């Protein structure tokens, strides 16, 4: 049995309905999306937990109930009296999606306030999963505490998985973002960057350069995603490339990378085979981008594009 703890922020998502000015409330967030897909992909004996903070209000309770219903362990979620969960709203203009966020004061930003809460969540776990968004939302001192906690976890045999998920809007400037990302890489065993973002912010000339930069930071296994392009995996003495099957009718790329990560990890944990993990990851991501929304049922029928 493997126990995985994903650490980050789940938000309320307001998605537009066909009736004007009507929105449907759901829940999503990068690390939560990965946890949700991991729960679906892994056999029942494995455990997927989520570590975050929420409020005591109705929406916070509903969020935790949603995670519970998905089979995600919520026992270590912090509950705060002074704040609530963050929110984002999707707007559609001529088919183009744009996002508005209300997350600046969210409870998740204070998830490390509780003394010993992270240590309790990681006790007995095999794997911790974080992203660049997890890093971005924390105050500087709490980010340092998180990275220290992950180093201690690693020293006791735990594995740390990190998706840099670069979001410059969440950082004061590019240098703060790239600096924190490389600090997190230094405590990570598996890193799952997306080449396009990495090229923009680190100036990597090729996916190989991205892989090498993380390898140089001490990461054992680097998986470089590249949209529809070739996936590259580099580990000790191994270099695997894999061309994902093209998806011709992309409906919504939300959670492409998050679902890819879950597909990769579930398969890799199963048999350690890198090529098979790429196949599983690309297949899950292809399914997700062929549907609307971040969280897509694995048995959702393919959407038929409008004639
Ligand atoms: P992110 O969402 O983190 O930016 P990417 O855009 O690199 O991540 O996409 C993650 C994965 O989703 C890719 O490695 C690939 O497997 C799949 N994917 C994304 N776009 C396409 C596409 N147009 N066709 C096929 N697969 C895609």
């Amino acid at each position: 049995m493997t126990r995985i703890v994903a650490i980050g922020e789940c938000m309320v998502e307001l998605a537009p309905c066909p009736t004007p000015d009507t929105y449907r409330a759901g829940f999503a967030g990068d690390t939560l999306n990965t946890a949700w897909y991991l729960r679906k992909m892994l056999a029942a004996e494995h455990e997927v937990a989520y570590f975050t903070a929420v409020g005591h209000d109705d929406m916070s309770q509903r969020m935790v109930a949603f995670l519970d219903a998905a089979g995600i362990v919520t026992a270590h979620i912090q509950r705060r009296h002074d704040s609530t969960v963050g929110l984002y709203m999707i707007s559609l203009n001529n088919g183009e999606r744009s996002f508005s966020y209300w997350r600046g004061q969210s409870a998740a930003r204070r998830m490390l306030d509780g003394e010993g809460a992270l240590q309790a969540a990681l006790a007995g776990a095999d794997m911790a999963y974080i992203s660049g968004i997890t890093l971005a939302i924390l105050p500087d001192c709490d980010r340092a505490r998180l990275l220290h906690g992950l180093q201690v976890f690693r020293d006791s045999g735990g594995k740390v998985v990190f998706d840099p998920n670069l979001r410059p809007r969440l950082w004061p400037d590019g240098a703060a973002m790239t600096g924190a990302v490389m600090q997190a890489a230094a405590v990570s065993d598996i890193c799952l960057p997306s080449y396009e973002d990495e090229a923009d912010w680190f100036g990597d000339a090729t996916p190989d350069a991205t892989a090498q930069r993380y390898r140089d930071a001490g990461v054992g296994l680097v998986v470089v995603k590249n949209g529809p392009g070739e996936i590259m995996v580099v580990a000790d003495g191994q270099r695997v490339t894999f061309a994902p099957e093209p998806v011709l009718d992309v409906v919504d790329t939300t959670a492409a990378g998050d679902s890819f990560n879950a597909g990769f990890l579930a398969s890799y944990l199963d048999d350690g085979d890198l090529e098979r993990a790429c196949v599983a990851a690309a297949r899950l991501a292809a399914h997700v981008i062929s549907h609307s929304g971040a969280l897509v049922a694995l048995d959702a029928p393919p959407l038929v594009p409008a004639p």
Side-chain angles (χ1 to χ4, degrees), residues 10-17 22-28 58-59 62-63 66 85-90 295:
C10 177
M11 284 175 289
V12 176
E13 177 195 82
L14 292 183
C17 296
T22 313
Y23 294 83
R24 193 184 66 82
F27 299 103
D58 182 59
M59 214 52 190
R62 283 205 228 175
M63 180 181 284
F66 168 80
V85 292
L87 168 88
Y88 71 98
M89 189 165 159
I90 303 169
L295 305 179

Side-chain angles (χ1 to χ4, degrees), residues 19-285:
T19 314
D21 295 326
T22 313
Y23 294 83
R24 193 184 66 82
F27 299 103
D30 67 333
T31 47
L32 179 272
N33 301 341
T34 300
W36 192 88
Y37 284 110
L38 266 174
R39 180 59 289 165
K40 301 258 177 241
M41 299 294 286
L42 286 167
E45 78 250 29
H46 303 298
E47 187 179 290
V48 180
Y50 200 60
F51 182 80
T52 188
V54 300
H56 280 278
D57 57 312
D58 182 59
M59 214 52 190
S60 296
Q61 316 273 22
R62 283 205 228 175
M63 180 181 284
V64 174
F66 168 80
L67 301 178
D68 279 330
I72 295 168
V73 174
T74 58
H76 294 286
I77 291 181
Q78 309 288 293
R79 319 243 174 174
R80 300 187 62 85
H81 282 287
D82 60 359
S83 43
T84 183
V85 292
L87 168 88
Y88 71 98
M89 189 165 159
I90 303 169
S91 302
L92 267 182
N93 282 316
N94 302 322
E96 280 294 310
R97 291 156 66 92
S98 64
F99 299 86
S100 305
Y101 290 93
W102 294 264
R103 71 191 304 189
Q105 305 294 321
S106 71
R109 291 182 180 248
R110 314 286 295 277
M111 69 175 108
L112 289 192
D113 267 15
E115 200 56 50
L118 178 69
Q119 286 72 9
L122 291 178
D126 302 285
M127 188 172 267
Y129 180 88
I130 61 162
S131 79
I133 296 179
T134 315
L135 304 176
I137 61 169
L138 295 175
D140 292 350
C141 55
D142 285 358
R143 189 180 319 119
R145 287 175 64 200
L146 171 67
L147 296 182
H148 176 71
L150 291 174
Q151 182 59 58
V152 171
F153 172 64
R154 227 181 157 200
D155 291 344
S156 63
K159 297 269 181 250
V160 176
V161 182
F162 172 46
D163 180 343
N165 224 346
L166 305 177
R167 292 288 186 277
R169 281 209 307 189
L170 292 176
W171 294 92
D173 55 51
M177 175 175 75
T178 53
V181 161
M182 294 316 289
Q183 280 176 5
V187 300
S188 298
D189 299 280
I190 301 178
C191 186
L192 301 130
S194 289
Y195 173 64
E196 208 177 308
D197 296 345
E198 303 285 322
D200 281 350
W201 289 96
F202 287 97
D204 301 335
T206 59
D208 257 313
T210 299
Q212 195 56 48
R213 179 169 45 77
Y214 285 110
R215 291 277 293 160
D216 290 346
V219 181
L221 172 56
V222 184
V223 184
V224 186
K225 297 164 275 183
N226 193 9
E230 198 173 65
I231 297 152
M232 169 175 301
V233 186
V234 183
D236 289 334
Q238 279 178 290
R239 184 179 177 281
V240 172
T241 55
F242 178 78
E245 191 108 341
V247 174
L248 301 177
D249 300 308
V250 175
V251 173
D252 175 5
T253 57
T254 306
D258 307 334
S259 57
F260 178 99
N261 296 351
F264 185 91
L265 291 171
S267 176
Y268 182 66
L269 285 168
D270 187 43
D271 64 10
D273 187 283
L274 295 176
E275 183 129 14
R276 266 200 290 275
C278 289
V279 174
R283 191 177 294 153
L284 178 58

